[in-house]
Structures are given as C-alpha cells and as structure tokens.
C-alpha cells in the first residue's frame, strides 16, 4: 500500500494571506510530526512548495481539485446551496469511477481535514461543493473527516447540508455564532467551540518602534462605494488629526486584488506615498505588527494577528452578518479593539490587547492531541 495520506484541504484558498498563513501553519505542524504517513496538500502554490520542498512528510497535488471545479463551472452564482452540494457529490462519484482515480492516491487516504477559514457561508456558496465532495469521498472510503477553525456565518441549513455535516467526526467552530448554529440544527454531537487555526502555533511580530506607527489594512470587495468613500473621509481626518502621534504610516495588503485599491485611494487623498507590504512580503519576512503600533483594519486575520502581536487598534465592519461576527470573535478573546466608524478614539486612548495567548495555544493544542489524524 505504501505511504498513507492525510489530506489537507482549504476550500477558501483564493490568494488571501489569512488562508495562506493557515496552510503554512498546518504544514509547519505536519513537518514536525513523528506519526507515519504523509500530508497530501490539495493545493499547489509556489511559495508553499518552495518552503517545504525538503520535507519528506508533505506532498503537493491538485488531483482532488479538478473534479469539483469542473462541476462548479457548470453552475452560476444564482444556484442554490443544495445545487452546489449536489455538484460536489457528483464530482466525488465521477472521481471514484475514473480509473486510475486521482493519480492512484484514493486507496492511500486515511483522513480528510478541512482547514479553517470563513469561506463556508451563503456569501460564497460555491465552496460547499468542496465540502460535500470531501464528505462523499470520506464516506465512500470509510475514513474520518474533520473540520477545524471554521466560520460559518451567515448560513441557513437544509436537509442536504445537515446530512453532509453529520458525516464529520467533528467540526470546530471558531466563533460562538457558528457553534450555536451547529447545535441548533441538531449537530451538537460533532460541534466544538474552538479557535481560529492560526492558534496552532505562536505568532511572531516585529520589533517595537518609537514613536508608534499607524498600520492600515482596508479591503474594497465587501463594502460598496458608499462605505469606501466614508472610510476614506474618516481615515483622512484621523491621520491628519493624529499625525504627530505616529512615526510612520504603513499599509499592509492581505489580498492585493482588493486591498491595494484603498491604498491607492488613500495615497491620492493624502497626497503622499505610503509604504506598502503585500502578501509576499508578509509571507517572506513575517508579521510587521508590534505592541507599539496602532492598526486599523477591516480584515479578520489582520485584526487577529496584529492583536496577538500586542498591537492596539480599530476594526471596520465591511458587511453586517459576516464581518461583524468575525471581528466579535476576536473581541471575545480580548483584543480590546474599537470600532473605527463609531467616533474613533485617539491612539493614547486605545487599550493594549488582553488576549491570553498561552491559554489559547493550549486550547488548540488539546484539540490536536485528541485528534491524532490532524
């Protein structure tokens, strides 16, 4: 039979730094495991392959992506959640019937792991095809399937979705709203109230600067033109009002296709050049956040990682029912950040985060201990 494969799957891998960072943390974890077998990463990104090229525990491939993408391509954004779930199930049936199936890896799979992120919801229904695809394969092959660090809001259940989710050995929800939803639809036996997947390892931030820096990260794909113009006006006023409190202004982009749009607009509004760190910079050089910084961000993972590095900050809710749930989950563990659009306080009035980093890491470690297939 040869090596056994633990399949790592991140359906939300669209180039967002948060999803890439999660994959990187799981690969770092897998590369140090002493258990037999290999981790089959259902992705192929050059930076990940280069980083783990020397590991004999990790295999990269796309065999499990093509069937799902082919089925999803036949649908449109107007299709129902059940349509996408059915598409994933068809993709699994086609793969199981195709000789040799998935390059000969199917008979070597020992588990499926759906890695965390906030991509399973009614906003991005296509990702549910990947969910049902994995669940159908796991059921047919008789192997366990797990989900970790998942955010599911906003979501309404269907009988078909319940059947898919009930095949999971467990589903760890990273926010209380997702956990409550799972329990409310009869999935209490598989639901775990947990944490984002970045908590599988400590974060390492940058060296403190003196005086403090202002670091900005704003996306442009969830708020519409009205929010964009409002944010630009409030941001411009804030920077002018507190310019003497900051030694530098830095912009970070977690997803260039979206985030650099606001960077360009802010530069034009202020009439200055603003240093930009993109995803490649963050992956190569590490997180820039430090306890002396103030961060303004609309993105979940920027808020979470910056707060874990000790930075105080202000968050932006770009879409109700989605980003408010995301940001609240970080507030719930002690980030102490304040809403930027509700009369934002000056830097001297912001409190430092009070996240119990060691306690949260221990909570996540307990999950890894309980589920050796991870």
């Amino acid at each position: 039979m040869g090596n056994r494969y633990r399949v790592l799957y991140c359906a939300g891998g669209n180039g967002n730094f948060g999803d890439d960072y999660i994959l990187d943390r799981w690969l770092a974890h897998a590369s140090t495991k002493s258990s037999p077998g290999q981790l089959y990463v259902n992705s192929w990104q050059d930076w990940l392959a280069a980083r783990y090229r020397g590991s004999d525990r990790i295999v990269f491939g796309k065999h499990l992506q093509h069937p799902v993408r082919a089925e999803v391509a036949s649908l449109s954004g107007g299709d129902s959640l059940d349509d996408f779930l059915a598409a994933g199930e068809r993709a699994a049936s086609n793969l199981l019937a195709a000789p040799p199936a998935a390059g000969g890896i199917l008979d070597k799979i020992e588990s499926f792991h759906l890695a965390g992120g906030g991509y399973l919801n009614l906003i991005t229904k296509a990702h549910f095809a990947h969910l049902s695809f994995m669940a159908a394969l796991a059921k047919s092959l008789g192997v366990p399937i797990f989900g970790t660090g998942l955010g599911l809001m906003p979501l309404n259940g269907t009988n078909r979705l319940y059947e898919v989710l009930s095949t999971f050995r467990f589903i760890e929800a990273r926010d209380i709203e997702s956990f409550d939803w799972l329990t409310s639809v009869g999935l209490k036996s598989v639901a775990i109230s947990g944490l984002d997947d970045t908590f599988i390892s400590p974060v390492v931030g940058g060296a403190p600067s003196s005086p403090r820096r202002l670091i900005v990260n704003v996306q442009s794909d969830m708020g519409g033109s009205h929010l964009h113009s409002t944010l630009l006006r409030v941001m411009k006023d804030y920077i002018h009002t507190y310019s003497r409190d900051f030694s530098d202004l830095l912009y970070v982009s977690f997803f260039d296709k979206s985030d650099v749009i606001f960077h360009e607009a802010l530069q034009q509004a202020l009439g200055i050049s603003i240093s930009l760190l993109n995803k490649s910079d963050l992956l190569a050089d590490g997180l820039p956040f430090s306890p002396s910084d103030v961060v303004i961000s609309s993105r979940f993972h920027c808020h979470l990682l910056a707060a874990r590095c000790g930075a105080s900050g202000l968050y932006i809710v770009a879409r109700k029912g989605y980003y408010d749930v995301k940001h609240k989950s970080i507030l719930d563990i002690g980030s102490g950040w304040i809403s930027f659009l509700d009369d934002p306080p000056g830097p001297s009035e912001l409190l430092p985060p009070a996240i119990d980093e060691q306690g949260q890491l221990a909570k996540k470690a307990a999950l890894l201990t309980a589920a050796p297939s991870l």
Side-chain angles (χ1 to χ4, degrees), residues 92-110:
S93 296
N94 293 340
L95 183 65
L96 289 165
I105 73 164
L106 285 184
D107 61 347
K108 300 177 182 178
I109 292 175
E110 65 178 26

Side-chain angles (χ1 to χ4, degrees), residues 38-53:
Q38 294 175 302
L39 187 71
Y40 180 92
V41 186
N42 191 50
S43 173
W44 185 267
Q45 299 193 47
D46 291 341
W47 72 271
L48 275 175
R51 188 180 295 230
Y52 296 97
R53 185 172 288 126

Side-chain angles (χ1 to χ4, degrees), residues 334-358:
S335 82
W337 285 27
I338 305 295
S339 173
F340 182 62
L341 291 177
D342 297 333
D343 191 20
S348 62
E349 301 173 68
L350 297 173
L351 297 176
I355 296 175
D356 178 10
E357 178 77 357
Q358 295 306 312

Side-chain angles (χ1 to χ4, degrees), residues 31-347:
S31 65
T32 62
K33 285 192 69 168
S34 58
S35 58
Q38 294 175 302
L39 187 71
Y40 180 92
V41 186
N42 191 50
S43 173
W44 185 267
Q45 299 193 47
D46 291 341
W47 72 271
L48 275 175
R51 188 180 295 230
Y52 296 97
R53 185 172 288 126
S55 174
D56 59 358
R57 299 183 181 278
I58 298 170
V59 176
F60 291 89
K62 290 184 176 179
H63 297 101
L64 301 179
Q65 289 182 357
H66 298 311
V68 189
R69 289 182 175 177
E71 290 293 335
V72 169
S74 66
L75 302 176
S76 70
D79 288 289
S80 71
L81 178 60
D82 279 358
D83 289 332
F84 284 102
L85 291 170
E89 291 163 355
R90 287 195 302 272
S93 296
N94 293 340
L95 183 65
L96 289 165
I105 73 164
L106 285 184
D107 61 347
K108 300 177 182 178
I109 292 175
E110 65 178 26
S111 66
F112 286 91
H113 172 198
L114 182 62
Y119 48 78
L120 289 173
N121 50 65
L122 292 178
I123 299 171
T124 52
K125 291 181 290 185
H127 291 144
F128 283 97
H130 296 272
L131 175 78
S132 61
F133 171 72
M134 278 188 297
L137 285 181
K139 185 175 181 179
S140 295
L141 298 174
V143 300
I145 181 170
F146 310 90
T148 62
L150 295 170
L152 305 173
M153 296 292 101
L155 187 61
N156 294 319
T158 66
N159 289 335
R160 193 167 205 148
L161 178 59
Y162 174 86
E163 292 170 3
V164 170
L165 292 176
S166 63
T167 65
F168 277 67
R169 183 73 55 85
F170 65 76
I171 301 169
E172 181 199 22
R174 72 179 185 186
D175 56 73
I176 192 61
E177 288 80 3
S178 296
F179 174 76
D180 287 345
W181 181 85
L182 288 168
T183 58
S184 72
V185 297
L187 292 167
K188 184 177 181 179
S189 61
V190 302
I192 295 175
S193 179
L195 296 161
D196 185 73
D197 274 354
T198 59
F199 278 105
I200 64 174
S201 63
V203 294
V204 179
S209 60
S210 182
R212 59 170 63 95
R213 298 175 302 172
L214 177 63
I215 301 177
V216 176
N217 163 253
V218 177
Q219 65 204 94
S220 301
D221 58 351
M222 280 290 182
S225 58
H226 174 70
L227 179 60
H228 181 87
S229 60
T230 300
L231 277 174
L232 196 59
R233 174 180 53 78
V234 177
M235 188 81 68
K236 181 180 177 180
D237 291 345
Y238 191 85
I239 292 171
H240 280 155
T241 301
Y242 299 108
S243 60
R244 293 184 178 180
D245 291 83
F246 301 110
S247 64
D248 195 14
L249 174 60
L250 177 66
Y251 198 96
V252 294
S253 169
F254 272 39
F255 186 36
D256 290 350
K257 206 186 300 185
S258 161
D259 298 12
V260 297
I261 295 173
F262 196 87
H263 173 251
E264 295 289 338
L266 187 59
Q267 286 189 131
Q268 185 174 357
L270 295 174
I272 61 174
S273 177
I274 304 172
S275 298
L276 173 70
L277 292 180
N278 60 28
K279 184 183 79 169
S280 298
D281 298 321
L282 297 172
L283 292 170
D285 302 326
L287 302 174
F289 315 110
S290 81
S292 63
D293 295 325
V294 171
V295 181
I296 303 175
S297 180
S298 62
R299 286 207 179 274
F300 168 84
H301 275 112
C302 186
H303 179 175
L304 175 61
L305 296 172
R308 289 177 62 190
C309 289
S312 55
L314 300 138
Y315 67 90
I316 298 162
V317 172
R319 184 166 185 166
K320 295 285 187 180
Y322 181 52
Y323 278 102
D324 51 347
V325 172
K326 288 187 172 195
H327 287 295
K328 178 180 175 294
S329 70
I330 314 172
L331 299 174
D332 287 345
I333 60 172
S335 82
W337 285 27
I338 305 295
S339 173
F340 182 62
L341 291 177
D342 297 333
D343 191 20

